Amino acid sequence: MAFDDPPKSRIRAATALVIVGTFLAGAAAGAGALRWASPRRPPPPPPMGLPIRELGLSVEQEAKVTEITERHRDELDAILREMYPKVRAVNDEVEKEVRTVLTADQQKRLDELKARRPPPMPRGGPPPPGPPPPGGELPALPRRP
């Protein structure tokens, strides 16, 4: 063994540090990529169209407003489920009439554009345009945690 050679224990320690460092760097990169790629949760809509976000509410006030809106969520869900089929029917009639004005190529293009629509948002808000969900009924809006 030459005098310049580092002892085996130092080589093992350096190797272990490299492996641990690589693992930590990979974990950090993976966590960052996951956070970057995950969909952003939109803020909940202001209750009943009130400009709540512009009032500068305290944390306590926000909690009380959230409790109030959650208490009325079932009522709003029921109204949306009742009205959605009516809105859908009117939209279908409008599309049917608009198609009579379009050329065959434009109708085909409209069908292609409708097929490429993004999937509906997973949280709250009005139902997206397009065909109703299977069963023709709106699912209940998810509850906030």
Side-chain angles (χ1 to χ4, degrees):
M1 179 162 122
F3 205 86
D4 299 333
D5 290 342
K8 288 184 180 181
S9 62
R10 286 187 80 164
I11 292 173
R12 286 184 181 146
T15 302
L17 284 175
V18 168
I19 291 171
V20 169
T22 302
F23 172 77
L24 291 175
L34 182 62
R35 182 175 172 96
W36 175 78
S38 64
R40 305 283 186 253
R41 288 179 75 185
M48 299 167 278
L50 298 175
I52 296 296
R53 286 190 198 98
E54 298 174 30
L55 298 177
L57 300 180
S58 69
V59 173
E60 181 181 319
Q61 289 173 311
E62 286 181 12
K64 288 179 181 179
V65 168
T66 298
E67 186 273 325
I68 292 167
T69 58
E70 288 298 316
R71 192 170 357 116
H72 293 281
R73 182 177 290 272
D74 289 339
E75 292 174 75
L76 292 173
D77 285 350
I79 292 168
L80 286 173
R81 275 192 288 281
E82 179 184 331
M83 296 306 295
Y84 180 73
K86 295 175 184 177
V87 171
R88 181 75 253 155
V90 171
N91 281 339
D92 289 345
E93 185 61 32
V94 168
E95 181 180 335
K96 181 179 168 184
E97 291 180 34
V98 166
R99 282 181 176 278
T100 65
V101 177
L102 302 178
T103 67
D105 287 341
Q106 290 169 329
Q107 289 179 16
K108 182 180 176 187
R109 177 77 173 135
L110 176 61
D111 292 334
E112 291 169 359
L113 292 172
K114 285 177 63 177
R116 290 192 315 194
R117 282 187 180 155
M121 290 178 48
R123 241 193 90 64
E137 195 174 298
L138 272 180
L141 295 176
R143 299 270 179 213
R144 287 187 64 189

